[in-house]
Amino acid sequence: MSVLLNRLAAIFVAVGLLFTAQTLTTPQRAAAADPGYLMVHFTGEGSTNQQMYLSHSTDGLHWNDLNGGGMVLRSPVGTKGVRDPAFVRSPDGSKYWIIATDLCIACGQTWSQSINDGSRSLVVWESTDLVTWSQPWLLNVAGAIPDGRNAWAPEAIWDPASNDYVLYWATNVPLNGATKHRIFYARTSDFRTITTPQSYIERPGTQEIIDTQIIEMPAGVGNYRYVRASGDGQITLEGSNSILGTWTRLGDLSGIGLPGSMVEGPMWMKFNGTNKWALYLDQYATSGGYMPVLTTDPSNPAAYQKQASTSYNMGGTKKRHGWIMNLTAAEESRVLARWPNTAINRLQSYNFQDRYVRHTNFDVRIDPNVSPADDSRFKLRTGLAGTGTVSFESVNFPGYFLRHANYDFQLVYNDGSSQFAADASFLQVAGLADSTWSSFQSYNHPDRYIRHYAYYLKLDPITTATARSDATFRVTN
């Protein structure tokens, strides 16, 4: 009997190991109702690609671009470009931040300038709901570092020991005249003020370190409370039981064919409902974008498994160094409602058909030959004032809408107020000069319509044939 039991036990162990290996290779969501994942990232070089983009996944391996692949936030501060963003969620879920590198390569700075005399500040956005974001501000983190030349690739993690955030980033402090990026840290509770920056991670000799990200481990997984992955010539793994304590080198990923000469920008993601992780790595050497490496123990370099390219899909845009958040059901609902793949349109004038509505220096007019073309492209969203109305959101200044004030029009950032919503909402009706076209009646001044006058947009009562023509537009792509 004991022999039979031993054989049965061996069979059950073998089957269990088989299922474990299969689950690691193809992670499944814990339940059909589980919410998914949100990635914030940039997409490449240039002033348009070096902004904030969002992608969503239901399984952590197959990603869909939100907002039709268009940017969701644009930085008007500092270099007017942003890279390497990270999400921060407060422990109670009442507040969110995006922190990012203030950097715009090929649209104001070269790589040499950004390395040796770059922005010492980070760009920060704040939100209470993950969809309505403040205007960004600059947080000077490297100005107090002696000979600090820049501030790159920020991250932050909540430290329960001190009830605040450890904010960390890379700064070039040259060594013997040569580039030497190291990781510095400071504490903050609001991402508006910080403590004096301190040295956090420095590699020996001339070795630099730029990208690093820390995750907290659940009890019973590995031997450390925290694990970090760093781009420092390799993708190096380290463990610690304290964020600012002693860290132990655990190894790197060169053993699975992923040396630092091939990949960078480590980005963690934990699969919902299971102790399995993906470490996303940016294949910068081949311009291949992100790829996931899966593991059931982030502290064990031998436990990582590369995935076949057919097992994941990164979506339509290239994903560059970013951050992945596990969503709650409420967060997911708000995010997907805010950034659907709404069509992009232009508004063509009825009586000047070579002219289109466009913004220029945040004023609004009709012009021919609009350049850049995105100045005349808008998303006709469900109106901010509610169903039955439409609002016009700029494509290249997301979050900015056509709004009337004193019966004049400007492109203005949505402050979330009910007054803004009313001023930026309109009823789309049959064209006043041609019913096959459209006119737009003000939501809060229903006796007035959008019309152009001397090529500028106004909100006027319409009483003449000329005014009816001025207030008629074609919605076109």
Side-chain angles (χ1 to χ4, degrees), residues 377-398:
R377 291 175 176 151
F378 300 90
K379 287 179 176 284
L380 272 66
R381 288 187 48 200
T382 298
L384 299 177
T387 303
T389 64
V390 296
S391 295
F392 301 90
E393 183 178 14
S394 170
V395 166
N396 54 353
F397 285 86

Side-chain angles (χ1 to χ4, degrees), residues 53-54 65-72 317 339-344 379:
Y53 293 76
L54 292 176
D65 301 328
L66 297 185
N67 201 37
M71 72 177 80
V72 299
T317 60
W339 285 292
N341 291 334
T342 306
I344 295 172
K379 287 179 176 284

Side-chain angles (χ1 to χ4, degrees), residues 4-42:
L4 177 59
L5 289 175
N6 287 337
R7 287 179 178 176
L8 287 172
I11 290 171
F12 285 132
V13 169
V15 170
L17 291 173
L18 174 61
F19 283 132
T20 298
Q22 288 177 334
T23 305
L24 175 61
T25 304
T26 56
Q28 300 296 317
R29 296 172 63 184
D34 280 351
Y37 312 86
L38 184 66
M39 184 193 303
V40 61
H41 57 93
F42 72 108

Side-chain angles (χ1 to χ4, degrees), residues 32-229:
D34 280 351
Y37 312 86
L38 184 66
M39 184 193 303
V40 61
H41 57 93
F42 72 108
T43 61
E45 311 303 329
S47 60
T48 299
N49 293 324
Q50 291 171 108
Q51 302 296 341
M52 295 295 89
Y53 293 76
L54 292 176
S55 296
H56 175 261
S57 175
T58 59
D59 65 0
L61 292 174
H62 297 82
W63 295 88
N64 295 305
D65 301 328
L66 297 185
N67 201 37
M71 72 177 80
V72 299
L73 292 171
R74 180 172 189 147
S75 173
V77 298
T79 68
K80 297 183 172 57
V82 277
R83 302 166 67 104
D84 317 320
F87 275 132
V88 185
R89 180 202 273 132
S90 65
D92 63 0
S94 66
K95 194 168 286 188
Y96 309 83
W97 294 269
I98 293 174
I99 54 177
T101 304
D102 177 29
L103 178 58
C104 198
I105 294 298
C107 47
Q109 281 192 319
T110 64
W111 276 113
S112 178
Q113 289 170 330
S114 67
I115 290 170
N116 294 294
D117 189 20
S119 173
R120 277 72 165 175
S121 297
L122 306 176
V123 179
V124 185
W125 285 268
E126 183 177 278
S127 175
T128 58
D129 59 7
L130 202 57
V131 297
T132 303
W133 292 90
S134 70
Q135 287 281 47
W137 65 85
L138 292 173
L139 176 62
N140 188 327
V141 295
I145 298 173
D147 204 23
R149 305 289 182 89
N150 57 11
W152 284 2
E155 302 275 348
I157 186 169
W158 177 256
D159 188 354
S162 55
N163 288 318
D164 60 8
Y165 301 93
V166 175
L167 170 65
Y168 54 102
W169 68 92
T171 288
N172 174 27
V173 179
L175 176 67
N176 299 325
T179 302
K180 172 79 172 181
H181 283 91
R182 316 120 191 269
I183 305 296
F184 290 81
Y185 83 92
R187 292 188 178 277
T188 185
S189 59
D190 57 8
F191 296 93
R192 292 182 182 273
T193 60
I194 63 171
T195 60
T196 302
Q198 305 290 326
S199 177
Y200 187 30
I201 312 174
E202 181 168 348
R203 298 306 191 220
T206 60
Q207 179 60 58
E208 297 189 274
I209 178 171
I210 295 176
D211 303 319
T212 191
Q213 192 179 101
I214 301 169
I215 52 167
E216 185 173 2
M217 304 301 298
V221 178
N223 299 316
Y224 298 95
R225 183 177 180 185
Y226 300 100
V227 174
R228 71 188 181 199

